[in-house]
Amino acid sequence: MSDQSARWGALVPPDPPAGRAAPRWLLHEDEAVLVVDKPAFVSIRRDEGPEVTSLLPRVERWLEARGDRRGVEAIDPLPLHASGLVILTRGRQRRPLRARYRWWLTREGRERRERVERKEPPKGREAHAPHIHRWRVDLDGAGRRLRVEAPLPEAMRRWLEGEDDALPDDLDAALARALARREALAALPDTDAYRLVHGAGDDLPGVELDRYRDHAVLALRSEEAVAREAALLDAVLRLGPAGVYLKRRPRQANVVVDTRNDELAPKAPARGEAAPSPLVVHERGTPLVTRLDDGLSTGVFLDQRDARAWLAGEAAGKRLLNLFCYHGAFTVAAVVGGVAESVSVDASGAALERARENLDAVSADPEHHRLVRADALRYVERGREPYDLIVLDPPSFATTKKSTFRAARDYPALAAAALGRLAPGGWMLACTNHRGIVASKFRRQLEAALERTGIAVAELYELEAPIDFPAPPGRDPHLKRIIVRRAP
């Protein structure tokens, strides 16, 4: 990666130097403990994974700058998606510490959004509420009685007051908060493509911002975002990319006849320099071919990065069927992971040409990694050979000369047909990005498909939303993924 790429992708607000004002996350400090206000989607653990930003190293850097090299450890850490107070201990505690907390949960009723107080930590369905904030701690022990309260997070306040559909006034501050959550992603030496802003999930409704090496792609999905287009472009350029490409996305993308319309997706960057076309980006070292100047899509869906990593880890020596393969990114990940054979199916000849370009970039043998132009549903219904791995990632809406696919209507039949091709002990990754199919409905669709086939299941679990694609307040993630393992 270039110096420019590392600089702009890693831009986060710096901590204050030692001896000046305390960092914004520090609410209390004494000789034995610190109390910090953890943002949502920032970890307070050290083991959440390489893509997750942790607050602990930042605390330790700040302490070391003042000559304090004692380590800190968290008491009662919060889940990744929750925000609020966490107690950090410094050195050994000779006396036990007792902490009592107060929690705020948010929920949306029929007439209004409300905040609910809890004395006990949320459990069950409440543990996955749109917002969870630990706002007060009463701490006894080690010779102290202490009460600390955390302010209401801005995103939570805006959601409760019904302001979450409007862009904030200070675009630079909102962008900085979003980038700060991606600090760990930006620090990865082998990954230079990911999402920096995910709409309302980052308190910027109608705005999506992606990094592609040295360049940015800004997508606008609301009338307000389009109205503030110039201000958004200028704010993104101040982050440091070499150039910014613009995509004006309609609310119903499936009714657009020409997604390469220059009014929707100008070929030239809206700000800065043009990117090479094609542009090769990397996910954990795996090359993927993209084009920032070729319509609304770039050639790779960044929200499947974690799923591709999972597939690569399961691929060695197996046979893969990739349905609705588009430009073949899942197949590329499987090839890098050592898959023995693959068949990638799509109804678009142009998409398969780009898939071959991607496979050539990782030296995939065409004899063992075939591309098939066909209707995916008809292909799985007519075939008989089994596969150890199946990727089922259809669009929400698709048409061919002979058929129309609607995910809300046709997914159970498609999933049942695909499961019929899954070998005993094999894995299937089922996905949908249809915004009208909520997570509970998608699970029911998969369960209906399993019941139809009579296939016994060894495992069935959902993948969480990637760290750079946080769900909007009060809503499910746009992308739902379920992994099914057939019983041996």
Side-chain angles (χ1 to χ4, degrees):
M1 276 180 269
S2 68
D3 292 340
Q4 167 74 11
S5 180
R7 182 177 73 82
W8 96 266
L11 181 65
V12 294
D15 292 329
R20 298 188 182 180
R24 62 190 179 281
W25 39 258
L26 180 62
L27 300 184
H28 171 81
E29 179 189 14
D30 60 38
E31 184 61 25
V33 301
L34 298 89
V35 182
V36 299
D37 186 9
K38 183 191 89 68
F41 303 107
V42 171
S43 178
I44 199 66
R45 303 176 186 271
R46 301 179 190 274
D47 57 353
E48 292 273 13
E51 297 185 353
V52 180
T53 298
S54 173
L55 192 59
L56 285 183
R58 183 167 291 183
V59 174
E60 290 175 334
R61 288 197 301 268
W62 184 72
L63 292 172
E64 288 174 5
R66 303 190 310 168
D68 187 346
R69 289 178 169 77
R70 289 175 293 174
V72 293
E73 293 298 334
I75 296 176
D76 302 327
L78 284 167
L80 184 62
H81 70 285
S83 63
L85 296 170
V86 179
I87 302 166
L88 305 179
T89 62
R90 301 199 296 191
R92 285 192 168 185
Q93 296 295 318
R94 296 182 179 179
R95 302 180 188 178
L97 296 174
R98 296 180 299 278
R100 296 181 298 278
Y101 301 101
R102 294 292 186 274
W103 306 75
W104 279 330
L105 310 179
T106 60
R107 64 188 181 192
E108 189 164 15
R110 291 184 177 181
E111 298 182 357
R112 64 188 178 95
R113 297 169 177 181
E114 58 185 356
R115 185 177 68 196
V116 182
E117 184 174 334
R118 290 281 186 270
K119 293 183 179 180
E120 299 297 326
K123 299 177 182 179
R125 292 179 62 87
E126 284 191 340
H128 300 280
H131 283 114
I132 299 175
H133 183 62
R134 192 155 66 186
W135 69 276
R136 194 176 86 188
V137 59
D138 292 289
L139 185 64
D140 296 331
R144 76 172 60 70
R145 284 191 175 184
L146 177 69
R147 171 173 288 183
V148 181
E149 296 184 359
L152 194 68
E154 179 66 7
M156 187 174 179
R157 182 198 67 77
R158 282 167 49 81
W159 187 82
L160 285 166
E161 296 180 8
E163 300 175 1
D164 54 310
D165 287 334
L167 285 170
D169 294 331
D170 192 339
L171 297 176
D172 292 289
L175 287 170
R177 288 194 297 269
L179 264 65
R181 297 178 190 138
R182 278 94 170 162
E183 183 181 6
L185 260 176
L188 294 177
D190 57 359
T191 299
D192 53 18
Y194 46 86
R195 178 146 292 185
L196 292 168
V197 172
H198 187 55
D202 281 302
D203 201 24
L204 283 161
V207 177
E208 295 168 354
L209 179 65
D210 295 325
R211 178 189 178 188
Y212 289 84
R213 292 185 62 177
D214 297 348
H215 288 74
V217 173
L218 176 66
L220 309 180
R221 289 186 177 270
S222 71
E223 292 181 3
E224 183 186 7
V226 172
R228 298 180 67 180
E229 178 181 298
L232 284 162
L233 286 166
D234 291 341
V236 170
L237 191 63
R238 286 193 288 272
L239 298 177
V244 186
Y245 284 81
L246 180 65
K247 314 290 183 183
R248 301 181 182 97
R249 292 187 171 274
R251 287 186 177 274
Q252 297 294 331
N254 60 297
V255 304
V256 177
V257 176
D258 183 8
T259 60
R260 291 178 172 83
N261 184 308
D262 200 59
E263 178 64 26
L264 299 176
K267 289 183 68 66
R271 296 288 190 276
E273 305 170 2
S277 187
L279 173 68
V280 178
V281 298
H282 301 84
E283 284 184 354
R284 304 189 182 190
T286 299
L288 293 170
V289 180
T290 68
R291 288 173 173 80
L292 309 188
D293 60 353
D294 190 26
L296 288 173
S297 297
T298 63
V300 60
F301 297 113
L302 300 180
D303 53 0
Q304 293 282 24
R305 181 185 63 255
D306 58 337
R308 286 189 283 269
W310 169 83
L311 183 66
E314 293 289 338
K318 296 179 180 177
R319 298 187 72 228
L320 165 71
L321 175 61
N322 184 6
L323 299 170
F324 302 93
C325 72
Y326 189 48
H327 291 189
F330 273 111
T331 308
V332 169
V335 169
V336 171
V339 74
E341 298 179 45
S342 69
V343 176
S344 302
V345 181
D346 202 283
S348 167
L352 293 176
E353 289 178 10
R354 297 289 171 82
R356 176 52 62 195
E357 186 179 27
N358 263 313
L359 289 171
D360 288 344
V362 291
S363 302
D365 183 354
E367 292 188 8
H368 293 94
H369 303 287
R370 295 189 295 118
L371 301 176
V372 177
R373 185 175 183 180
D375 179 294
L377 178 57
R378 292 176 182 270
Y379 185 86
V380 292
E381 287 179 335
R382 293 175 179 176
R384 292 291 180 268
E385 65 273 26
Y387 293 88
D388 307 300
L389 298 166
I390 296 177
V391 174
L392 187 58
D393 187 16
S396 299
F397 177 86
T399 60
T400 66
K401 291 181 179 180
K402 296 182 178 180
S403 66
T404 299
F405 176 82
R406 298 179 184 273
R409 178 193 67 193
D410 301 323
Y411 206 110
L414 175 65
L419 285 164
R421 304 290 293 277
L422 190 62
W427 296 88
M428 185 174 84
L429 170 66
C431 315
T432 182
N433 61 4
H434 192 298
R435 296 177 187 270
I437 301 178
V438 298
S440 57
K441 179 178 179 179
F442 186 51
R443 190 179 184 98
R444 290 196 299 271
Q445 285 183 326
L446 264 293
E447 290 170 346
L450 286 165
E451 184 176 353
R452 183 183 302 186
T453 62
I455 289 175
V457 174
E459 295 181 62
L460 187 151
Y461 61 92
E462 300 175 28
L463 282 181
E464 297 286 339
I467 189 65
D468 48 335
F469 285 79
R475 302 171 191 168
D476 283 335
H478 76 286
L479 178 64
K480 281 72 66 175
R481 285 97 50 90
I482 293 179
I483 291 178
V484 179
R485 180 171 176 252
R486 182 173 179 175

